[in-house]
């Protein structure tokens, strides 16, 4: 590979998605003949940025428009007022933002970074790419055409790069070698591969907690299983505030792990669960993560590292096309990985939620060509999941936290039920089981004073962060029916009213005003937005006269927009007498000053 020059690829990621996307972009730069590292922004020596000519930045937006933890120092440096406006005149760049359009500050970090780099004299090769998690195609809807356009613009500086030829090159991140072993050597207790050997991530402070309780909060005849899981620290008190989240990285089920190795066995591929994996650096700009630097068994990798429940992206099919020697399957993989094949990919993968394992069964001739090098690029890594903490740390000496988890199980056109990886793993945990996780600042930030009224809207498991706040205010003896107003919704009062006894007790003791919407307990469906409309006068008074805050938590699909519409039409227009335009403007101003905050998923 001749090598054209250097392209810096930096990422700021809260859930490791930005890192994975940055590595995908890095593979393209390597295939084209460029060099340059892919790093977290805070790992990069930012003083060297003035010498860079080309860079790509991939950054997620977190919280209320906040930058991720591994970007904070980088961003703080860029905001220095004493930086000359010509600091980055050599730099030609592109920014990819990762966001969720259900939040008001959609891709706020990507937009700000793009603008700040220009203020410092850098030249954008292309406009900022605003990826939206809510899109049918996910981030790829924007990422794929954005990447194509970026490298097309790069030909103005490097006319000889062969963009089309690069698609036929397989660029592994690391050198991966299997070490055969005796079956008995692999029969040992599997520890956590990320933190179990005393390893530590610079951006994560791991906690080893023990499951104390795992209780179903819905009735046994209800269609959905929701769990209230209590995790306990046996070492030191936990430190968290209402609104904070607990991050946890799940494990694949034994059924899926067995299925993977059955594919290898069926196709006579010599990859056994007890073999060990040696991962070594093969590019100076792609170091091996610390947790992979010690040989792990394939069973450990299959259980804890590869996401066996993930549905394959179009990129996965481009990799399968490279290894397939069956014309029919190869042509289909090429089609499913092409821009023209996006609708076919949606219908085959995304809409029915077909997993990577199911794809390998379908493309069984291509699966015979799998190697350990290909597998390491084919499977995405298991991402941590974030759950709002549903308790206060002012009880049990601050050693416990609760999670309110809806176990994901549903059906698509495929015969086998679709199971959420993390929720079903959490469901399987028994008292005494130990798990690693870490506490992070959450999206919702509650006022410190105990006087300001709170309008809390949390249907279903959206109750979690609101319960944390309620418990804390009750413990502090500052909760009253005048300053705590909770709108809760579920299907049936007697089947899925989470934490019912606790909430009704708060209401009885006049520590809470409770407004419940049970959508299926009567002929006409009643949702939280209907309860907002019914109590519009009270809400108008709380917002306008008492400067109340609004906190909305729950499913991102339809509920947030319906709640927003109820505030505009029923509270601000019907009661407040505003026009619809002014009502929307009032709601927007509340969001802008964080008097209305939203946490959805």
């Amino acid at each position: 590979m001749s090598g054209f020059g250097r392209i810096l690829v930096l990422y700021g990621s809260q859930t490791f998605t930005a890192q994975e996307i940055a590595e995908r972009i890095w593979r393209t730069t390597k295939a084209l003949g460029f060099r340059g590292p892919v790093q977290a922004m805070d790992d990069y020596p930012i003083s060297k940025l003035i010498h860079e000519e080309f860079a790509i930045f991939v950054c997620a937006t977190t919280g209320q428009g906040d930058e991720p933890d591994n970007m904070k120092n980088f961003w703080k440096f860029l905001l220095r007022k004493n930086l000359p406006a010509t600091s980055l005149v050599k730099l030609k760049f592109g920014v990819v933002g990762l966001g969720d359009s259900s939040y008001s500050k959609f891709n706020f970090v990507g937009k700000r970074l793009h603008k700040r780099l220009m203020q410092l004299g850098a030249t954008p090769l292309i406009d900022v790419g605003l990826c939206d998690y809510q899109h049918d195609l996910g981030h790829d809807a924007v990422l794929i055409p954005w990447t194509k356009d970026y490298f097309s613009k790069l030909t103005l500086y490097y006319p000889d790069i062969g963009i089309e030829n690069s698609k036929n090159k397989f660029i592994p991140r690391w050198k991966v070698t299997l070490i055969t072993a005796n079956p008995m050597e692999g029969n040992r207790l599997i520890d956590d591969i990320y933190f179990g050997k005393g390893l530590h991530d610079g951006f994560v402070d791991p906690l080893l907690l023990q499951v104390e309780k795992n209780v179903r909060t819905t009735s046994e005849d209800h269609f959905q299983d929701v769990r209230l899981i209590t995790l306990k620290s046996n070492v030191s008190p936990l430190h968290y505030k209402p609104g904070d989240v607990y991050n946890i990285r799940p494990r694949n089920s034994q059924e899926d792990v067995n299925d993977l190795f059955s594919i290898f066995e069926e196709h006579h591929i010599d990859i056994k669960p007890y073999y060990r994996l040696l991962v070594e650096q093969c590019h100076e700009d792609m170091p091996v993560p610390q947790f992979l630097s010690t040989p792990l068994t394939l069973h450990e990798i299959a259980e804890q590292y590869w996401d066996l429940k993930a549905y394959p992206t179009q990129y996965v099919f481009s990799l399968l096309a490279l290894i397939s020697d069956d014309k029919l399957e190869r042509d289909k993989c090429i089609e499913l990985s092409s821009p023209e094949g996006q609708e076919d990919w949606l219908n085959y993968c995304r809409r029915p939620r077909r997993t990577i394992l199911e794809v390998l069964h379908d493309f069984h001739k291509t699966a015979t060509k799998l190697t350990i090098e290909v597998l390491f690029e084919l499977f995405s890594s298991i991402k941590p999941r974030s759950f709002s903490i549903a308790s206060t740390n002012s009880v049990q000496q601050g050693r416990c936290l609760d999670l309110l988890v809806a176990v994901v199980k549903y059906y698509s056109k495929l015969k086998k039920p679709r199971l959420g990886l993390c929720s079903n793993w959490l469901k399987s945990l028994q008292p005494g089981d130990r798990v690693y996780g870490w506490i992070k600042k959450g999206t919702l930030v509650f006022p410190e004073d105990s006087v300001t009224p709170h309008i809390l809207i949390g249907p279903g498991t959206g109750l979690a962060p609101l319960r944390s706040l309620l418990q804390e205010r009750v413990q502090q003896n500052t909760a009253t029916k005048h300053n705590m107003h909770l709108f809760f919704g579920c299907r049936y009062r007697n089947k899925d009213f989470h934490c019912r006894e606790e909430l009704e007790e708060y209401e009885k003791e006049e520590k809470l005003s409770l407004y419940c919407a049970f959508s299926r307990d009567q002929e006409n469906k009643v949702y939280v937005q209907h309860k907002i409309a019914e109590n519009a006068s009270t809400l108008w008074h709380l917002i306008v006269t008492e400067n109340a805050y609004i906190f909305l938590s729950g499913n991102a699909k339809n509920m947030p927009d319906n709640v927003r519409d109820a505030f505009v039409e029923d509270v601000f227009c019907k009661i407040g007498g505003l026009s619809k335009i002014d009502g929307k403007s009032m709601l927007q101003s509340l969001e802008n000053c964080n008097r209305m905050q939203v946490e959805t998923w």
Side-chain angles (χ1 to χ4, degrees):
M1 197 172 292
S2 59
F4 288 104
R6 174 181 167 96
I7 298 178
L8 179 68
V9 184
L10 298 181
Y11 61 85
S13 182
Q14 192 75 357
T15 60
F16 299 87
T17 302
Q19 177 179 349
E20 200 162 83
I21 288 174
E23 289 174 353
R24 275 175 57 183
I25 293 172
W26 170 87
R27 287 191 192 97
T28 303
T29 67
K30 297 295 286 187
L32 289 171
F34 290 91
R35 57 185 175 81
V38 55
Q39 288 180 284
M41 294 187 194
D42 280 358
D43 286 343
Y44 173 76
I46 192 171
S47 59
K48 294 184 178 181
L49 194 60
I50 59 173
H51 304 297
E52 302 284 359
E53 289 191 63
F54 296 94
I56 297 174
F57 303 88
V58 184
C59 52
T61 295
T62 69
Q64 302 296 324
D66 301 322
E67 64 279 356
D69 287 348
N70 58 3
M71 178 184 169
K72 289 186 181 298
N73 294 332
F74 181 92
W75 181 239
K76 186 177 179 180
F77 185 92
L78 284 187
L79 290 179
R80 287 186 177 182
K81 293 181 179 179
N82 61 349
L83 292 178
T86 56
S87 298
L88 301 178
V89 289
K90 287 182 62 178
L91 185 68
K92 276 77 70 177
F93 73 94
V95 172
V96 176
L98 307 181
D100 185 327
S101 58
S102 66
Y103 287 85
S104 62
K105 293 184 178 179
F106 171 59
N107 265 316
F108 194 61
V109 173
K111 294 172 185 175
R112 290 181 71 196
L113 177 60
H114 183 88
K115 183 178 179 180
R116 183 57 180 158
L117 291 170
M118 289 178 63
Q119 289 173 345
L120 295 174
T123 302
L125 272 185
I126 185 174
D127 198 9
V128 57
L130 303 177
C131 299
D132 185 4
Y133 177 76
Q134 295 295 330
H135 195 282
D136 276 350
L137 294 169
H139 294 133
D140 279 353
V142 169
L143 181 65
I144 291 175
W146 185 94
T147 305
K148 181 180 179 181
D149 288 347
Y150 178 89
F151 288 109
S152 177
K153 294 286 175 55
L154 202 62
T155 59
L156 296 173
Y157 301 89
Y158 297 97
D160 296 330
I161 60 176
I163 295 177
E164 289 303 316
N165 293 334
S166 70
K167 296 178 182 178
N168 298 319
K169 295 178 180 177
F170 173 61
I171 307 291
R173 285 169 293 176
W174 308 297
K175 179 184 176 183
V176 184
T177 309
L178 280 177
I179 306 172
T180 57
N182 186 298
M184 296 305 296
E185 293 180 24
N187 292 336
R188 62 184 180 83
L189 183 64
I190 296 177
D191 207 342
D192 184 275
I193 65 173
Y194 297 93
F195 306 117
K197 299 179 179 66
L199 302 179
H200 198 275
D201 185 319
F203 302 103
V204 168
D205 186 14
L207 298 167
L208 180 58
L209 303 182
Q210 187 173 13
V211 178
E212 187 174 71
K213 297 178 185 176
N214 191 340
V215 180
R216 179 168 175 150
T217 67
T218 52
S219 63
E220 291 296 331
D221 62 343
H222 188 57
F223 81 101
Q224 187 173 48
D225 184 352
V226 177
R227 298 284 166 149
L228 186 63
I229 301 171
T230 301
L231 301 174
K232 184 175 183 179
S233 169
N234 294 319
V235 180
S236 57
L238 304 174
H239 301 285
Y240 61 88
K241 294 181 178 180
D244 286 352
V245 300
Y246 186 66
N247 287 337
I248 194 164
R249 189 183 276 105
R251 299 187 181 191
N252 289 305
S253 67
Q254 191 59 50
E255 178 185 2
D256 284 338
V257 172
N258 291 342
D259 189 21
L260 174 65
F261 286 103
S262 75
I263 292 173
F264 300 151
E265 186 175 352
E266 177 188 352
H267 297 305
H268 308 291
I269 300 171
D270 189 21
I271 299 178
K272 303 291 194 296
Y274 53 86
Y275 284 6
R276 293 194 179 278
L277 192 72
L278 179 64
V279 183
E280 299 173 286
Q281 186 170 321
C282 62
H283 305 282
E284 62 178 3
D285 46 15
M286 179 59 74
V288 178
Q290 187 183 13
F291 72 92
L292 287 175
S293 59
T294 301
L296 298 168
T297 66
L298 258 295
H299 190 283
E300 289 173 308
I301 292 291
E303 185 189 53
Q304 298 186 51
Y305 184 60
W306 291 336
D307 190 344
L308 304 183
K309 283 258 188 273
Y311 58 83
T313 62
Q314 288 191 288
Y315 172 73
V316 165
F317 287 99
S318 69
L319 285 181
L320 291 175
L322 286 179
I323 66 169
S324 181
D325 61 6
D326 180 83
K327 185 178 186 307
L328 187 63
E329 290 191 5
R330 184 175 65 250
D331 289 348
K332 190 60 179 178
C333 286
I334 292 172
E335 178 187 342
L336 290 170
S337 65
S338 68
E340 299 77 21
Q342 284 184 342
E343 189 64 27
D344 288 336
W345 173 79
L346 277 171
N347 290 329
Y348 174 66
C349 278
R350 177 109 183 194
R351 289 179 178 132
R353 295 296 193 265
R354 197 182 305 270
T355 69
I356 179 64
L357 292 180
E358 289 168 331
V359 167
L360 293 179
H361 281 294
D362 285 352
F363 289 79
H364 59 280
K365 292 181 180 178
T366 302
T368 64
K369 302 300 177 182
L370 292 172
T371 64
I372 191 61
E373 292 86 359
V374 171
L375 288 166
F376 234 75
E377 305 304 323
L378 197 67
F379 289 112
S380 59
S381 61
I382 294 175
K383 309 296 186 301
R385 271 61 165 182
S386 297
F387 294 92
S388 294
I389 297 174
S391 56
T392 176
N393 69 347
S394 58
V395 296
Q396 295 196 43
Q397 291 80 47
R399 293 182 180 272
C400 288
L401 61 82
D402 288 346
L403 305 178
L404 189 62
V405 180
V407 180
V408 177
K409 179 181 180 181
Y410 62 95
Y411 291 85
S412 67
K413 70 178 185 179
L414 303 177
K415 184 178 180 180
K416 190 176 181 181
R418 307 293 94 186
L419 302 176
L421 171 58
C422 190
S423 60
N424 281 275
W425 177 72
L426 287 171
K427 173 187 174 180
S428 72
L429 296 178
Q430 301 295 317
D433 286 346
R434 301 191 303 168
V435 296
Y436 279 97
W438 59 97
I439 295 169
K440 301 294 290 182
K441 178 183 175 183
T443 300
L444 302 179
V445 181
F446 300 104
E448 294 290 340
D449 74 86
S450 59
V451 178
T452 301
H454 290 47
I455 300 166
L456 311 173
I457 306 159
T461 55
L463 174 65
L466 312 181
R467 178 180 185 248
S468 177
L469 175 73
L470 283 169
Q471 283 191 350
E472 177 155 295
R473 296 296 168 87
V474 168
Q475 286 289 321
Q476 295 171 347
N477 202 30
T478 59
T480 73
K481 66 178 183 180
H482 303 294
N483 62 18
M484 291 287 136
H485 298 261
L486 174 64
F487 289 79
F488 174 77
C490 62
R491 292 198 173 196
Y492 305 97
R493 178 187 290 273
N494 294 323
K495 291 188 177 184
D496 56 337
F497 189 171
H498 312 310
C499 309
R500 174 179 175 177
E501 293 182 4
E502 180 181 340
L503 295 177
E504 289 183 340
E505 184 66 22
Y506 291 160
E507 182 184 35
K508 181 180 177 182
E509 295 173 352
E510 297 191 343
K511 296 175 181 178
L512 171 69
S513 290
L514 183 60
Y515 314 83
C516 292
F518 304 110
S519 62
R520 306 299 199 277
D521 272 346
Q522 60 286 312
E523 186 176 346
N524 296 323
K525 293 179 181 177
V526 177
Y527 298 110
V528 286
Q529 62 264 27
H530 299 123
K531 291 297 178 180
I532 290 170
E534 286 178 19
N535 296 276
S537 296
T538 299
L539 295 173
W540 173 257
H541 172 77
L542 288 170
I543 294 166
V544 175
T545 306
E546 300 190 43
N547 297 314
Y549 277 62
I550 305 168
F551 297 94
L552 174 61
S553 172
N555 189 285
K557 190 174 182 181
N558 297 314
M559 184 271 296
D561 286 340
N562 291 335
V563 166
R564 286 186 174 99
D565 289 344
F567 272 103
V568 171
E569 296 171 11
D570 297 297
V571 180
F572 301 155
C573 295
K574 287 183 181 178
I575 302 301
L578 301 180
S579 67
K580 193 164 185 178
I581 293 176
D582 289 340
K584 288 183 176 180
S585 177
M586 182 175 180
L587 187 71
Q588 186 61 55
S589 67
L590 289 173
E591 293 201 55
N592 289 343
C593 67
N594 287 336
R595 278 185 58 199
M596 180 173 184
Q597 297 177 33
V598 178
E599 180 178 270
T600 57
W601 51 87

